[in-house]
Amino acid sequence: MTNDRTMPARNAGERDMLEGWLEFHRQTLARKCQGLTDEQLRTAAVEPSELTLMGLVRHMAEVERIWFRKVLTDDSPGPIWFSDEDPDGEFHLTAADTWDEAHTTWQSEIAIARDNAAGVGLDDISKGSTRHGDSPSLRWIYTHMIEEYARHNGHADLLRERLDGVTGY
């Protein structure tokens, strides 16, 4: 794996710091998937779990979509892979699912997230609401997204090591 991630500045202001750590974690997940085949990316490395690297990328595309579209701007494009009938659909992969599709969709949602957040202040309250009915600030959304990526990057570390022995943060 190449180390093509940008470390957040150690003396940045709050917004730059939050955005820097979010970008770092986005890049980390991409790095964990680098150089693997579609088959490897679809492989659940620890039975009985269905957790895969491609499933994590698809999950994070859904998470980006929910927080930066549905919650932040009250745009409701609907889910990509999950449904009421299959609430974990992003993790249910078939041989037809490809890295190109998952990665392109994820990157598209990240680009929309960046655009949607660009004109919003950290203290601004979201226009939409969470499934619990509250409307968080952009600061809260950034903090949650950093936590979400960090947790799943820990999963990605273990999945990648199990697949081909590659380690590293």
Side-chain angles (χ1 to χ4, degrees):
M1 289 185 296
T2 61
N3 190 7
D4 52 359
R5 298 171 298 166
T6 303
M7 285 296 296
R10 287 183 166 84
N11 57 359
E14 183 181 12
R15 186 175 187 123
D16 288 341
M17 185 74 68
L18 290 168
E19 290 176 348
W21 277 109
L22 180 54
E23 289 302 320
F24 176 84
H25 282 292
R26 287 168 171 159
Q27 293 167 7
T28 298
L29 182 55
R31 184 173 180 256
K32 291 296 172 180
C33 298
Q34 187 178 33
L36 297 175
T37 66
D38 281 4
E39 183 178 353
Q40 288 172 308
L41 291 163
R42 287 190 300 264
T43 300
V46 183
E47 296 198 11
S49 174
E50 294 181 279
L51 192 62
T52 65
L53 288 168
M54 191 181 299
L56 283 174
V57 166
R58 288 170 35 140
H59 175 67
M60 292 313 300
E62 295 278 16
V63 171
E64 295 271 1
R65 187 177 185 97
I66 289 166
W67 287 103
F68 288 103
R69 292 176 80 170
K70 182 181 181 295
V71 175
L72 184 64
T73 67
D74 201 24
D75 173 22
S76 294
I80 306 164
W81 293 287
F82 73 86
S83 64
D84 289 339
E85 297 77 31
D86 188 4
D88 294 321
E90 68 267 35
F91 294 110
H92 300 150
L93 304 173
T94 69
D97 294 311
T98 66
W99 170 248
D100 285 342
E101 176 196 16
H103 184 260
T104 298
T105 302
W106 179 44
Q107 293 304 307
S108 175
E109 291 301 326
I110 289 171
I112 292 167
R114 286 184 191 121
D115 286 347
N116 286 350
V120 178
L122 290 177
D123 292 324
D124 291 350
I125 301 302
S126 62
K127 294 179 181 175
S129 60
T130 70
R131 64 182 170 190
H132 305 292
D134 59 328
S135 297
S137 68
L138 178 60
R139 177 183 287 103
W140 192 97
I141 292 171
Y142 275 151
T143 303
H144 173 69
M145 289 298 294
I146 292 165
E147 174 274 328
E148 181 92 9
Y149 270 102
R151 181 166 29 96
H152 289 312
N153 282 339
H155 298 132
D157 285 338
L158 295 172
L159 289 166
R160 180 63 190 249
E161 184 174 7
R162 180 71 175 102
L163 285 169
D164 68 356
V166 170
T167 60
Y169 81 102

